Amino acid sequence: MALKITLALFTIIAVLVNFGHVRCNPAIATGYDPMEICIENCAQCKKMLGAWFDGPLCAESCIKFKGKLIPECENFASISPFLNKL
């Protein structure tokens, strides 16, 4: 009984001590780089949409916002700033 209580207390203390140090960023486990994904998505949208899509402007926004606004080619709201009227 005492062993179970000791183990439970140790577990609780270990969790509380490390609670503030845990980061839930997928970059830690997968090497995910938002800037890289953003620029790759710009290139993919340019391939899909051709002259309708302003790829350089998209890439500039990736750099300006440090990859925080990742365009999704099938999401009109995310690519609308980069569409040309032709």
Side-chain angles (χ1 to χ4, degrees):
M1 182 71 173
L3 180 61
K4 287 183 180 181
I5 292 172
T6 304
L7 184 59
L9 285 175
F10 176 75
T11 304
I12 291 171
I13 290 170
V15 168
L16 291 176
V17 167
N18 290 313
F19 188 72
H21 301 288
V22 175
R23 294 184 58 198
C24 296
N25 186 344
I28 295 170
T30 63
Y32 167 78
D33 180 15
M35 179 86 76
E36 182 180 343
I37 300 297
C38 185
I39 292 174
E40 285 177 1
N41 281 14
C42 289
Q44 182 64 30
C45 293
K46 182 65 178 173
K47 287 179 186 174
M48 287 175 64
L49 302 171
W52 293 96
F53 189 79
D54 190 352
L57 180 62
C58 180
E60 287 173 15
S61 77
C62 291
I63 294 167
K64 181 178 178 181
F65 297 111
K66 298 178 183 168
K68 293 189 188 324
L69 303 173
I70 297 176
E72 294 293 332
C73 303
E74 295 178 356
N75 180 348
F76 180 75
S78 73
I79 63 169
S80 63
F82 315 115
L83 294 176
N84 295 321
K85 291 183 181 180
L86 290 180

